[in-house]
Amino acid sequence: MPYDPSAFPPFAVTVDLVVLTVRRHALCAMAVRRGEPPFQGYWALPGGFVRADEDLAQAAARELAEETGLCVHDPSVPGQDNGAHLEQLATYGDPGRDPRMRVVSVAHLALAPDLPAPRAGGDASNARWAPVEELLQQGGHGRDGEPAAPLAFDHAQILADGVERARSKIEYSSLATAFCPPEFTVGELRRVYEAVWGVALDPRNFHRKVTGTPGFLVPTGGTTTRQGGRPAQLFRAGGATLLNPPMLRPEV
């Protein structure tokens, strides 16, 4: 039997973005308030429909810029203006996930150092950074007094999956350095792990592990007093992509 495209119902493809950063020593995610139906007035992840002339990565970058004013690029592309990390997270295709029509979403995970305050655009009426615990809880109020209503669509599940991806991946890869500036101290890196994992780590044990893991950190030769106290040694990310031994999450 020849292939008949009309035998299959059409559907749309979207990209949704789990954009994570560390602000005020807390793991925060980008949230936008929807300005149009469905779920008008609800908080949601940035994202939108993929256009016919763009691939998924281009759609993700465009939607992020349109809805938040931020630019996140794949770090494998040379000549970048920032050190953000962007990767595909998962695909979501429940038939009822969007009341408008059948929509399949390809979610992306973006990580970057302390990003600036976002600005809303596109079909988003507001944009902000919020602690992931606040966005994932239901009922009550968040840290900034915003009602902790459920996220639109299935974005709570997408956000939870993105947070777990980040938490698990920093165990065995150097991904935690994506939350740091180009030069950072061991203390600043430790606070990234603490924020992402939501636990307190022993400073001496952490220092010994990260400086003893081959290829993880490279001394820059400089120091800084930006944390107060005595000058602290500055490092940059090494060439290792996989950590051996891994940095295992403490059991909580």
Side-chain angles (χ1 to χ4, degrees):
M1 295 281 299
Y3 171 68
D4 180 11
S6 65
F8 302 94
F11 63 90
V13 178
T14 62
V15 289
D16 288 309
L17 295 132
V18 178
V19 188
L20 301 178
T21 194
V22 175
R23 295 172 63 86
R24 305 177 196 169
H25 307 302
L27 182 64
C28 296
M30 174 73 64
V32 296
R33 193 187 294 277
R34 290 187 55 79
E36 300 176 359
F39 297 102
Q40 185 173 8
Y42 279 66
W43 289 101
L45 299 176
F49 289 93
V50 178
R51 296 173 178 170
D53 61 346
E54 60 187 1
D55 62 26
L56 295 172
Q58 291 169 336
R62 174 183 56 79
E63 283 292 340
L64 188 68
E66 287 180 357
E67 294 202 17
T68 69
L70 300 175
C71 294
V72 177
H73 304 286
D74 186 331
S76 65
V77 179
Q80 292 191 351
D81 57 2
N82 61 43
H85 173 90
L86 178 66
E87 66 180 58
Q88 282 193 24
L89 173 62
T91 303
Y92 301 82
D94 187 285
R97 65 179 303 274
D98 192 317
R100 293 169 292 189
M101 61 181 297
R102 180 70 191 274
V103 176
V104 173
S105 178
V106 181
H108 288 67
L109 175 65
L111 311 176
D114 189 9
L115 290 170
R119 62 171 177 81
D123 60 358
S125 62
N126 194 10
R128 68 183 180 117
W129 293 108
V132 295
E133 293 85 356
E134 173 187 326
L135 291 174
L136 293 175
Q137 74 179 3
Q138 297 185 16
H141 289 78
R143 178 181 300 180
D144 299 324
E146 287 283 351
L151 291 173
F153 304 103
D154 54 357
H155 288 184
Q157 182 62 57
I158 297 175
L159 175 59
D161 291 346
V163 170
E164 180 55 32
R165 167 75 68 85
R167 286 174 173 166
S168 62
K169 200 164 183 178
I170 66 173
E171 289 187 280
Y172 62 86
S173 78
S174 58
L175 187 62
T177 59
F179 289 104
C180 296
E183 295 186 357
F184 52 88
T185 68
V186 170
E188 290 170 336
L189 181 63
R190 173 172 51 82
R191 280 186 280 277
V192 166
Y193 275 89
E194 291 177 332
V196 175
W197 283 344
V199 298
L201 300 174
D202 180 82
R204 291 186 179 180
N205 287 340
F206 181 85
H207 190 284
R208 184 177 67 254
K209 288 180 180 179
V210 298
T211 57
T213 301
F216 191 6
L217 302 182
V218 177
T220 66
T223 60
T224 181
T225 57
R226 61 181 175 233
Q227 298 174 332
R230 293 182 298 177
Q233 188 176 8
L234 285 169
F235 294 84
R236 59 177 174 82
T241 55
L242 297 178
L243 305 182
N244 187 19
M247 294 281 296
L248 298 180
R249 247 183 295 186
E251 294 185 4
V252 294

